[in-house]
Amino acid sequence: RGSPGELNPPIPSLLSPTVTSEQIEHLHRRFKQLSQDQLTIRKENFDSIPDLEFNPIRGKIVHAFFDKRNLRQASDGLADEINFEDFLTIMSYFRPIEMNMDEEQLDRFRKEKLKFLFHMYDSDHDGKITLQEYRNVVEELLSGNPHLEKESARSIADGAMMEAASICVGQMGPDQVYEGITFEDFLKMWQGIDIETKMHVRFLNMETIAHCY
């Protein structure tokens, strides 16, 4: 680290100040492993993670790393490549809860995670999740279960879609629900669900697989 021509890993403000230099070094080694010692990572670099191939939402996970909304860029769309600072920005969404966080910090922490998840559902980048988009993600997640028949997965996904609609319909008219769920509606849907521990990533070791559920 720090040698001529080598990327010196910065720590963006998104990361907690309690992140240790050892953790940053570990992330930097992982980044270099993925990028094959280049300064940026491209989508094809994720092919070097064997277990990720079997993740039912592999495409959405990879997509999320290049989504400019998650990179906190002003423009919309997908980046062609990401550098180490971008990589740290994405990893910051999966950082664990800290014991010294006050209520305001916890609320911001939760919203950051849910915004990242919202973007994974909002596949057309229009700022709303249609019920069909929501259903599609649920069905994709269930497709990875070898013990669940396709029809059963479809029925569960349909049920999840209708539950999402019923949660939102109290605040919205039926037409509005079918036009799409906004981020504020999405927050209501996840109220009381412990996203802080359910959304995590086991991505840093080559033998493990990324998870977001």
Side-chain angles (χ1 to χ4, degrees):
R1 175 179 160 186
S3 60
E6 189 175 21
L7 182 63
N8 187 25
I11 305 178
S13 59
L14 287 169
L15 287 181
S16 163
T18 61
V19 173
T20 66
S21 59
E22 288 79 13
Q23 288 170 321
I24 295 296
E25 290 287 353
H26 180 64
L27 284 169
H28 189 232
R29 287 194 300 271
R30 188 69 180 94
F31 177 88
K32 288 176 65 179
Q33 188 178 27
L34 279 171
S35 69
Q36 299 176 353
D37 285 329
Q38 300 301 306
L39 296 180
T40 59
I41 290 176
R42 303 182 69 88
K43 291 185 183 69
E44 54 265 29
N45 292 121
F46 285 82
D47 294 337
S48 64
I49 308 173
D51 286 333
L52 192 54
E53 178 184 351
F54 303 104
N55 192 296
I57 57 168
R58 176 192 183 280
K60 291 190 181 300
I61 292 170
V62 175
H63 185 98
F65 272 77
F66 296 86
D67 189 330
K68 291 181 179 179
R69 297 173 298 178
N70 296 334
L71 297 171
R72 298 186 184 330
Q73 297 183 12
S75 56
D76 195 11
L78 295 177
D80 293 326
E81 55 189 16
I82 58 172
N83 60 26
F84 181 63
E85 188 168 359
D86 295 328
F87 183 72
L88 285 182
T89 297
I90 297 297
M91 297 308 296
S92 73
Y93 293 103
F94 298 92
R95 66 195 187 278
I97 194 170
E98 296 171 19
M99 299 305 295
N100 61 346
M101 285 182 171
D102 58 30
E103 189 172 336
E104 183 179 345
Q105 289 172 321
L106 284 170
D107 182 64
R108 186 169 63 251
F109 176 83
R110 177 179 176 82
K111 284 182 178 177
E112 284 177 358
K113 285 180 176 288
L114 286 172
K115 177 69 81 171
F116 182 89
L117 193 58
F118 180 85
H119 291 159
M120 290 187 72
Y121 282 90
D122 178 23
S123 57
D124 61 3
H125 293 226
D126 68 349
K128 292 183 178 180
I129 302 171
T130 65
L131 292 178
Q132 187 59 45
E133 283 177 322
Y134 188 78
R135 178 190 181 281
N136 288 344
V137 173
V138 174
E139 191 169 1
E140 283 180 32
L141 283 167
L142 294 173
S143 70
N145 187 336
H147 305 294
L148 195 63
E149 294 181 359
K150 185 175 291 187
E151 285 302 319
S152 298
R154 188 172 292 121
S155 295
I156 294 171
D158 285 341
M161 179 179 69
M162 296 312 298
E163 184 181 2
S166 67
I167 292 171
C168 294
V169 79
Q171 294 82 27
M172 305 164 64
D175 290 341
Q176 288 176 292
V177 172
Y178 283 94
E179 285 175 6
I181 299 164
T182 66
F183 180 60
E184 291 305 314
D185 301 320
F186 193 70
L187 288 177
K188 293 170 186 173
M189 288 169 54
W190 282 82
Q191 190 171 4
I193 299 175
D194 185 15
I195 186 64
E196 291 84 353
T197 57
K198 288 183 180 298
M199 182 172 162
H200 67 283
V201 64
R202 292 190 298 140
F203 176 76
L204 303 180
N205 299 315
M206 290 298 286
E207 70 274 14
T208 58
I209 184 169
H211 291 273
C212 177
Y213 58 85

